[in-house]
Amino acid sequence: QVQLVESGGGLVQAGGSLRLSCRVSGRTASAYAMAWFRQAPGKEREFLAAISRGGGNTNYGDSVKGRFTISRDNAKNTVYLQMNNLKPEDTAVYSCAADRNAILHYINPDSGAYDFWGQGTQVTVSS
């Protein structure tokens, strides 16, 4: 069974940076397109970034474009989200997700396309 475990969340001041990691176990990460989403209290889940199985194709949500970078190291079965210039409105629970049906270069911003989810990691940005 595939498991996703996020790490790297925490408390940071506005303008600071964090790097989140998502470790894939149970099957090789290269079998999945991967994505990051977040959800703040009282708000809908928001797409942040996605990356294709080989890492050659990426896509970003408008609210994080230019500040966040998604990457992956399939040899380590890990996907990363580098977050720079963090703002208080970035405060949320951040989750990674895996799409088992994605063909090689395909990525999907729709959360309904993702089959497996991590438990999430809290990111809090203070002003």
Side-chain angles (χ1 to χ4, degrees):
Q1 185 173 350
V2 174
Q3 288 189 323
L4 308 179
V5 179
E6 302 94 338
S7 61
L11 175 64
V12 63
Q13 288 188 333
S17 298
L18 283 175
R19 188 177 80 156
L20 304 183
S21 298
C22 174
R23 182 81 158 84
V24 180
S25 62
R27 191 175 176 189
T28 179
S30 61
Y32 306 100
M34 301 292 294
W36 287 94
F37 294 82
R38 70 184 178 192
Q39 190 164 20
K43 294 188 177 182
E44 292 187 352
R45 181 180 286 162
E46 180 186 10
F47 168 76
L48 301 177
I51 188 166
S52 58
R53 289 168 57 187
N57 192 18
T58 58
N59 189 21
Y60 294 91
D62 289 341
S63 65
V64 303
K65 203 170 293 184
R67 298 191 297 126
F68 291 10
T69 302
I70 190 171
S71 61
R72 65 190 302 161
D73 185 342
N74 285 339
K76 296 183 178 179
N77 281 329
T78 303
V79 178
Y80 305 98
L81 186 68
Q82 177 66 43
M83 307 186 295
N84 298 330
N85 190 22
L86 283 161
K87 305 174 182 180
E89 52 264 43
D90 293 318
T91 296
V93 175
Y94 285 66
S95 299
C96 64
D99 178 1
R100 64 183 172 184
N101 296 314
I103 58 175
L104 190 58
H105 300 296
Y106 182 76
I107 49 178
N108 195 329
D110 183 357
S111 62
Y114 292 85
D115 306 285
F116 305 104
W117 292 80
Q119 83 289 349
T121 185
Q122 176 70 43
V123 172
T124 303
V125 184
S126 63
S127 57

